[in-house]
Amino acid sequence: MATNLTANILDIVSGLPDNWLIGCEGGEFGRIVDRIFQQLTQYPSQKIPPTIFIAEPEPIQFIASFIAACAAKCQIFLCNPNWVKSEWQQVFDLVQPDIILGQNTVREGGLRSCARVASEFHSPEIPETNELPLIMIPTGGSSGKIRFAMHDWETLTASVQGFKQYFNLGKINSFCVLPLYHVSGLMQFMRSFTTGGKLAIQPFKELENSKKYDIAPEEFFISLVPTQLQRLLQNSDTANWLSRFPTVLLGGAPAWPELLATARKYQIKLALTYGMTETASQIATLKPEDFLAGNDSAGQILPHAQVTICSVQGEGLCYNQVGNIAVNAKSLALGYYPKKFGDREYFQLDDLGFFDEKNYLNIVGRNSDKIITGGENVFPAEVEAAIRTTNLVADVAVIGLLDKHWGQAVTAVCVPANSEASLTALQVGIADKLSKFKRPKYWCFVEQLPRNSQGKVNREQLQEIAIVSSQMNR
């Protein structure tokens, strides 16, 4: 495949129907790809292919740049054009590119003082994998520190094949409102591009304001994160429109019970998913019919992946036993730039979960987020869900703060939903829902939680906010 990669990708482009990319005529798109491909292949020959930063804010240019760079066998780094100066500095401390696609926008966004002209750089040699060029996808997780998971064309297409087989599909049509530099947006493009399906890309803000492309939702998949779903369900027009999709993939962050209940009320055909940048999106997905029947799990494992639940000692656990999640998949990343993973059968995750008797994967939380207070284990997701049931908060995150008496003190950082969200009202609201040791000892009220575009909380910033607030209130 490595030898024929260029021909393979360019053949796909030439074989796509004119209307595959909604909003762009097929011939025009092909010409954009060809122009960028010619520019990249005319770059002065080096010992290794040039290293490319793709930071195009415009979706069509981003996709064309990505396809051309893959066909030219460049080493590709997907970048968020909205990164600020400090974030770009992290990236340039890690790697120095030969070419920046979309650099005018990037420089306006804070890169100017962080980088020199690209031609001045000489990138370090990146480890090769079957001679396929590497595709670096950014991931910050909950820490906020940027790093890149190393993928290639084979790992990304393995994820597509697993998706196709799981849903028994041929062509895959995708309606994308997620950023293309993120794995959740990139894989929507990959599914449509490699299967000959249609792709519609629209900014989420437009969709939230009821401006929708003229498509037949019944023919498309759409992927959302929980905060996006919540906003769409607040408007009956967009909620009813969303109910027309045969499958609404939901992932990126845990969904809360009230959100899922509202989705069922509107008969939204949710497919709860579990996956990550390292696995090229989902490795487990709940079928919509199971969701509508009341199942809130992450679903069953896709054909291209294997998942096991292990004890701390590494022993396999039985049904309904909570343990560490480990995954092996054809879509698994090759490592974190610039280091490859060592040879191992399973990739150990920080997540905790269990399989039930029907082999549905249930996610409990992250091992690193677990709070140990007075010798008792507390999982933030459970406490957050209880707080949300009070309907007194618009958003909430629970963490553990160091405490000389308890070891860690359960701390809730809340965005009040209304003027009734007092400390006393919240404490009364959860009194019959949580054991005493699970109830927050400290409560912090803020206007907004530090979440990224995927809805994930930046835990480091949250800790800082909570520490300052708790010290003021002690």
Side-chain angles (χ1 to χ4, degrees), residues 274 284 297-301 307 309 325 353-355 359-363:
Y274 174 72
S297 74
Q300 296 178 312
I301 307 304
V307 171
I309 307 295
I325 298 175
F354 65 91
F355 281 107
N359 279 322
Y360 288 93
L361 179 64
N362 294 262
I363 308 300

Side-chain angles (χ1 to χ4, degrees), residues 265-285:
K265 171 187 171 183
Y266 281 101
Q267 288 294 291
I268 308 297
K269 304 171 189 68
L270 283 188
L272 305 181
T273 71
Y274 174 72
M276 59 216 71
T277 306
E278 290 83 351
T279 58
S281 73
Q282 67 253 49
I283 52 173
T285 301

Side-chain angles (χ1 to χ4, degrees), residues 33-58:
V33 172
D34 184 66
R35 174 177 56 79
I36 299 173
F37 177 74
Q38 295 302 325
Q39 292 174 346
L40 296 179
T41 52
Q42 290 171 8
Y43 194 81
S45 65
Q46 298 182 358
K47 182 179 178 181
I48 58 174
T51 297
I52 307 292
F53 277 15
I54 300 180
E56 289 282 2
E58 203 284 313

